[in-house]
Amino acid sequence: MKEIIEKYVNEITLDLPDDEQKELREEIYIHLQDHVKELIIKEYSEEKAIRYAIKSFGNQDELNRQLKRTLFPYYKPIRFVWSVIFVTGFICLVSYSSMEYYHPEFDNHLPAYSVLMGMFIVTIIAGLGEVLYEAISSLVQVKWVLNPWLFFLVPSLIVGGIQTPQLFKHPEQYQDSLWLDLYAIPIGAFAYIISRQLFTLLFVRNKNNYKRTKVN
């Protein structure tokens, strides 16, 4: 019983600040234990009591999102801005590197307006993706469906796959590095997912690790 409840509680409080995380874990764990004991008194088996108590408390992922919204009110907007900048920089790096590879004799610097236009396009596409992700997450409680790698990357790979025949039908249009244009969306989606995870790793988990080290 202890291991199942602890796993559930840990998922609810994942990536929360240490102080709040410890306090919430204790409160939720005690509440669930009390609920399980009440159900056992009512002649539920221990397994059924645990399952019912967890189900009645709520989905762990949704509870985790609600707690993050409460404790980090600007978490998602800041992460979104970080991700847009990261993706724009990544795509510019890929573009510059490919041009340098195919035509090192040219001046391959990227004009400012191209970078800004790229950032605008990334903002629109990523913004629509995040809105759709939030809408689906409020309706669907299936964990694997809400996995960012599945949600963002798979559709982008499908788009890239649909466009791939153009490379063979009109090869003259995609010479040198121009073929990368067909896969801009999958490349951007990959970078976007990486940027989201990096944000959590660098600014949330590392912050908690720093606080833990400082206390110790």
Side-chain angles (χ1 to χ4, degrees), residues 109-125:
H109 77 280
L110 299 174
Y113 70 85
S114 296
V115 176
L116 292 174
M117 182 56 69
M119 182 176 289
F120 175 75
I121 294 172
V122 170
T123 301
I124 297 299
I125 296 175

Side-chain angles (χ1 to χ4, degrees), residues 120-163:
F120 175 75
I121 294 172
V122 170
T123 301
I124 297 299
I125 296 175
L128 290 173
E130 288 289 357
V131 169
L132 185 60
Y133 181 83
E134 290 298 321
I136 293 177
S137 66
S138 65
L139 299 173
V140 179
Q141 302 299 329
V142 182
K143 193 170 183 178
W144 65 268
V145 173
L146 299 176
N147 185 307
W149 284 99
L150 178 67
F151 187 88
F152 291 105
L153 190 59
V154 171
S156 72
L157 290 174
I158 293 173
V159 172
I162 292 172
Q163 295 189 112

Side-chain angles (χ1 to χ4, degrees), residues 21-208:
Q21 188 181 69
K22 183 178 179 182
E23 184 178 345
L24 284 167
R25 278 179 179 172
E26 291 176 357
E27 290 179 3
I28 296 171
Y29 186 81
I30 291 172
H31 172 82
L32 289 171
Q33 271 193 324
D34 291 341
H35 194 182
V36 169
K37 288 176 183 178
E38 290 174 5
L39 292 170
I40 290 175
I41 292 173
K42 294 179 181 180
E43 299 184 353
Y44 280 75
S45 67
E46 184 180 53
E47 182 182 349
K48 287 184 178 180
I50 293 171
R51 189 164 61 247
Y52 186 83
I54 288 175
K55 184 178 179 181
S56 63
F57 197 78
N59 178 268
Q60 61 268 36
D61 295 326
E62 179 58 31
L63 291 169
N64 180 257
R65 284 192 290 272
Q66 291 176 4
L67 287 170
K68 284 179 178 176
R69 280 196 291 267
T70 301
L71 297 173
F72 305 109
Y74 303 109
Y75 172 82
K76 288 185 178 180
I78 294 173
R79 185 186 66 184
F80 179 75
V81 172
W82 152 271
S83 297
V84 167
I85 294 172
F86 183 93
V87 172
T88 303
F90 183 83
I91 291 176
C92 288
L93 178 62
V94 171
S95 178
Y96 175 78
S97 299
S98 63
M99 289 189 295
E100 281 289 303
Y101 177 79
Y102 285 103
H103 295 289
E105 69 277 10
F106 296 152
D107 180 9
N108 293 312
H109 77 280
L110 299 174
Y113 70 85
S114 296
V115 176
L116 292 174
M117 182 56 69
M119 182 176 289
F120 175 75
I121 294 172
V122 170
T123 301
I124 297 299
I125 296 175
L128 290 173
E130 288 289 357
V131 169
L132 185 60
Y133 181 83
E134 290 298 321
I136 293 177
S137 66
S138 65
L139 299 173
V140 179
Q141 302 299 329
V142 182
K143 193 170 183 178
W144 65 268
V145 173
L146 299 176
N147 185 307
W149 284 99
L150 178 67
F151 187 88
F152 291 105
L153 190 59
V154 171
S156 72
L157 290 174
I158 293 173
V159 172
I162 292 172
Q163 295 189 112
T164 297
Q166 297 298 319
L167 186 62
F168 300 99
K169 288 181 180 178
H170 307 287
E172 70 283 355
Q173 296 180 14
Y174 301 102
Q175 295 180 9
D176 297 338
S177 62
L178 294 178
W179 63 271
L180 286 170
D181 293 346
L182 295 173
Y183 303 105
I185 291 179
I187 291 170
F190 175 78
Y192 190 76
I193 299 168
I194 294 296
S195 68
R196 285 169 113 252
Q197 296 189 337
L198 274 176
F199 183 84
T200 300
L201 179 65
L202 295 174
F203 301 109
V204 179
R205 292 181 182 172
N206 272 3
K207 182 180 178 182
N208 288 343

